[in-house]
């Protein structure tokens, strides 16, 4: 690890330095791959039940340190305490769930003439997980838990701004008895440690979560060695409100559907599409809901929204919002910290930057539509396809629109997107592949087909 590539971790709510962490170099990646390759051979040779037990022990260790991990996440990422507790609990649940898959990772027996045909699901070897800063713990675990459960070793590179919870998780994994070298955390810069992982011939798969621009680079570089790549990228998700919906419920749910995690959520419902006949009523209901969101100290139990992650993210968000643009504004603290108020823009051109690009901050636009066809066209008028919500009391419409919207994760009369036991991933430029859900382990295996002849030796 090199001081030259050191990472300074700031508390986004106060701008105080929380820690300085040495960053990994390409040589560190090389050494980590050697250790991981050795550990993977040991790990894959363990009895499935033993691997499952060790993963469950790790899940228990995470549970026992849930409050510590959550408080660390509050300090390094500015997440509200409630969210951070959920995130640490999500890591625990992911490892518990993945542990349940170890003994169930079965191949098939396929009927063939003259013999027996078997498929065997073999681990890939060493997998790299490159994580973003917006959900440092859960997203690290989305890749790591199923990869380990399927018999692989994992090298995790957290984002530059949020390495601390990842480092603590690696310590807990060792304490829980996972073999040395099996799960290593390599904090570092994307262009240094990240590219070294992507280019390394000893790494079989890259699980990348981050921006679409970097995801495309990872795919292009990884293709030189035909690496397996999973990409979870950006989003610009619609929240479609039909006039026949429960408007009170839709308006009450709309704020946190894009303000949760200060809008730094790939599934944030930042395009609120409202049927014209309900438009004025919906805005009347939405305004007080936005204005009453509690923005402030993320360590306070009552806070609903904290700061943005960094100054550069704050500048980026500001660049999308003119001070005099019409809309609804909430409140945010002043002084140190990277604060931006909840913002809903009205009277926006549907082709404007703020209406089509991922802002990754607490900013949404409201756009009116006339009928179902226009709602679907507007929902699909983006390069992204990650998530979306449909609010209606008409079951037929809910199903029609769910089928017509090109996105990986839709919810009806709700904004939920992520459960560790259901599949998650994007259409179009929101990604490639799926994570979570019942097939998560299979994504970390190669299928081998073996034919065994039952013909006797020629007489
Ligand atoms: P980012 O692309 O800048 O960075 C993500 C990770 O990639 C970081 O660890 C970074 O160090 C690393 N990286 C940067 N350059 C690299 C390179 N050239 N090679 C290899 N690795 C490199 O993204 P970010 O700003 O940290 O995260 C925000 C983005 O993540 C948003 O666009 C958001 O929508 C997306 N995201 C997507 C999902 C999803 O599941 N679809 C979930 C969370 C976040």
């Amino acid at each position: 690890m090199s001081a030259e590539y050191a990472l300074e971790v700031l508390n986004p709510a106060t701008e105080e330095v929380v820690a300085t962490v040495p960053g990994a170099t390409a040589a560190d990646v090389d050494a980590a791959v050697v250790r991981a390759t050795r550990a993977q051979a040991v790990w894959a040779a363990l009895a499935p039940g033993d691997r499952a037990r060790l993963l469950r022990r790790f899940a228990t260790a995470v549970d026992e340190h849930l409050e510590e991990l959550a408080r660390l996440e509050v300090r390094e990422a500015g997440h509200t305490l409630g969210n951070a507790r959920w995130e640490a609990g999500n890591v625990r649940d992911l490892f518990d769930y993945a542990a349940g898959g170890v003994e169930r990772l079965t191949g098939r027996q396929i009927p063939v003439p003259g013999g027996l045909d078997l498929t065997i699901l073999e681990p890939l070897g060493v997998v790299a997980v490159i994580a973003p800063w917006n959900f440092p713990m859960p997203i690290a675990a989305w890749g790591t838990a199923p990869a380990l459960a399927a018999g692989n070793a994992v090298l995790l590179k957290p984002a530059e701004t949020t390495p601390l919870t990842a480092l603590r998780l690696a310590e807990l994994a060792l304490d829980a008895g996972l073999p040395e070298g099996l799960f290593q955390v390599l904090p570092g810069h994307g262009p240094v440690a990240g590219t070294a992982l992507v280019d390394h011939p000893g790494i079989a798969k890259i699980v990348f979560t981050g921006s679409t621009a970097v995801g495309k680079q990872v795919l292009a570089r990884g293709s030189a060695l035909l690496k397996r790549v999973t990409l979870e990228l950006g989003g610009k998700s619609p929240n479609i409100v039909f006039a026949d919906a429960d408007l009170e419920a839709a308006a009450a749910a709309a704020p946190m559907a894009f303000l949760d995690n200060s809008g730094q959520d790939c599934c944030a419902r930042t395009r609120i599409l409202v049927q014209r006949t309900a438009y004025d009523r919906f805005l009347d209901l939405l305004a007080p809901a936005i204005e009453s969101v509690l923005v402030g100290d993320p360590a306070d139990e009552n806070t609903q929204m904290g700061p943005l992650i960094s100054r550069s993210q704050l500048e980026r968000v500001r660049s999308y919002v003119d001070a005099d643009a019409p809309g609804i504004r909430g409140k945010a603290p002043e002084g140190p910290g990277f604060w931006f108020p909840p913002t809903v823009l009205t009277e926006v051109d549907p082709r404007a930057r703020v209406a089509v690009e991922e802002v990754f901050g607490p900013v949404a636009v409201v756009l009116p539509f006339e009928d179902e066809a226009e709602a679907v066209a507007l929902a699909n008028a983006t390069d992204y396809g990650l998530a979306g919500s449909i609010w209606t009391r008409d079951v037929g419409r809910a199903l029609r629109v769910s089928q017509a919207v090109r996105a990986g994760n839709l919810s009806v009369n709700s904004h939920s997107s992520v459960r560790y036991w259901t599949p998650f991933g994007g259409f179009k430029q929101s990604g490639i592949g799926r994570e979570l859900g019942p097939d998560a382990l299979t994504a970390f295996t190669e299928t081998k087909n073996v034919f065994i002849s039952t013909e006797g030796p020629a007489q």
Side-chain angles (χ1 to χ4, degrees):
M1 298 288 172
S2 162
E4 186 190 345
Y5 296 115
L7 309 167
E8 196 173 63
V9 181
L10 295 183
N11 181 331
T14 62
E15 301 182 44
E16 285 159 2
V17 178
V18 177
T20 304
V21 175
T25 62
D28 294 322
V29 169
D30 287 342
V33 173
V34 171
R35 288 193 297 272
T37 305
R38 226 179 281 137
Q40 192 268 330
V42 174
W43 180 242
L46 284 182
D50 291 337
R51 270 192 275 142
R53 204 170 3 265
L54 285 168
L55 292 174
R56 279 196 199 96
R57 231 185 255 167
F58 177 43
T60 303
V62 171
D63 193 44
E64 286 166 357
H65 294 81
L66 193 142
E67 192 64 20
E68 177 203 333
L69 288 162
R71 299 261 170 195
L72 197 53
E73 195 77 297
V74 171
R75 283 201 294 145
E76 76 167 339
H79 290 191
T80 61
L81 187 55
N83 277 13
R85 285 179 179 143
W86 178 88
E87 289 160 36
N90 187 242
V91 177
R92 171 203 58 213
D93 295 342
L94 278 154
F95 275 89
D96 252 337
Y97 180 66
V102 177
E103 300 102 322
R104 295 175 177 84
L105 190 59
T106 52
R108 298 199 282 188
Q109 182 265 307
I110 300 169
V112 288
L116 197 63
D117 193 277
L118 306 173
T119 65
I120 303 172
L121 302 184
E122 296 187 351
L124 299 168
V126 181
V127 171
V129 175
I130 301 179
W133 45 260
N134 63 330
F135 289 106
M137 279 195 284
I139 291 177
W142 290 9
T144 303
L148 292 179
N152 302 279
V154 171
L155 302 180
L156 166 65
K157 197 205 84 59
E160 288 83 339
T161 42
T162 55
L164 300 181
T165 44
L167 287 165
R168 186 69 187 113
L169 286 172
E171 287 173 0
L172 293 174
L174 269 186
D175 293 349
L178 264 64
E180 184 113 30
L182 185 73
F183 170 42
Q184 300 173 58
V185 172
L186 297 167
H189 293 270
V192 182
T195 50
L197 290 165
V198 175
D199 292 343
H200 202 292
I203 294 175
K205 175 166 180 165
I206 308 290
V207 179
F208 173 86
T209 304
S211 59
T212 297
V214 176
K216 287 178 182 173
Q217 290 174 32
V218 168
L219 185 63
R221 290 182 83 113
S223 71
L225 291 165
L226 276 187
K227 283 204 177 160
R228 279 58 182 146
V229 176
T230 299
L231 301 176
E232 296 288 2
L233 308 175
K236 188 75 181 173
S237 298
N239 173 8
I240 311 171
V241 182
F242 286 96
D244 69 8
D246 179 340
L247 290 183
E248 279 76 12
M256 292 319 290
F258 77 95
L259 297 175
D260 194 49
N261 207 24
S262 310
Q264 303 165 124
D265 181 339
C266 50
C267 296
R269 288 3 184 223
T270 51
R271 291 187 302 140
I272 307 173
L273 314 179
V274 185
Q275 194 155 20
R276 186 156 330 252
T277 50
Y279 185 83
D280 290 341
R281 170 88 183 121
F282 183 82
L283 280 191
D284 287 346
L285 292 165
L286 184 64
I290 293 287
E291 287 156 5
S292 63
V293 171
L294 292 172
V295 183
D297 179 4
D300 183 329
E301 304 261 358
N302 297 318
T303 296
Q304 291 175 282
M305 189 183 115
L308 293 165
I309 185 74
S310 62
R311 179 152 306 280
S312 64
Q313 191 61 19
L314 178 60
E315 296 308 330
R316 183 183 143 80
V317 173
R318 278 189 183 141
S319 78
Y320 282 96
V321 183
D322 289 337
D324 54 358
I328 308 164
R329 270 47 170 208
K331 299 173 214 66
E334 293 180 358
F338 309 122
W339 303 100
F340 196 87
T343 302
V344 177
L345 300 178
T346 53
E347 299 169 45
V348 176
D349 181 335
R351 290 156 305 179
R353 252 179 94 226
V354 71
V356 294
E357 292 180 14
E358 184 179 48
V359 178
F360 229 50
V363 179
V365 299
V366 189
L367 301 170
F369 66 84
E370 298 298 337
D371 55 17
E372 195 175 305
E374 194 188 1
V376 169
L378 267 176
N380 286 334
T382 157
D383 291 337
Y384 295 114
L386 190 55
S389 304
I390 300 146
W391 290 77
T392 177
R393 287 190 169 101
D394 179 335
V395 178
R397 165 173 282 159
L399 289 172
R400 275 194 308 277
V401 178
S402 297
Q403 287 170 325
V405 173
R406 305 268 306 145
N409 299 82
L410 296 174
S411 35
V412 174
N413 297 328
S414 138
H415 293 298
S416 84
S417 293
V418 181
R419 289 180 194 82
Y420 60 82
W421 66 99
T422 58
F424 179 82
F427 280 37
K428 302 195 281 185
Q429 295 195 30
S430 286
I432 294 180
R434 291 293 176 272
E435 297 190 271
L436 311 179
D439 303 321
L441 270 62
T442 314
F444 293 95
T445 61
E446 285 287 10
T447 301
K448 182 176 281 176
N449 194 71
V450 178
F451 169 73
I452 304 159
S453 171
T454 49
E455 304 293 324
Q459 297 298 316

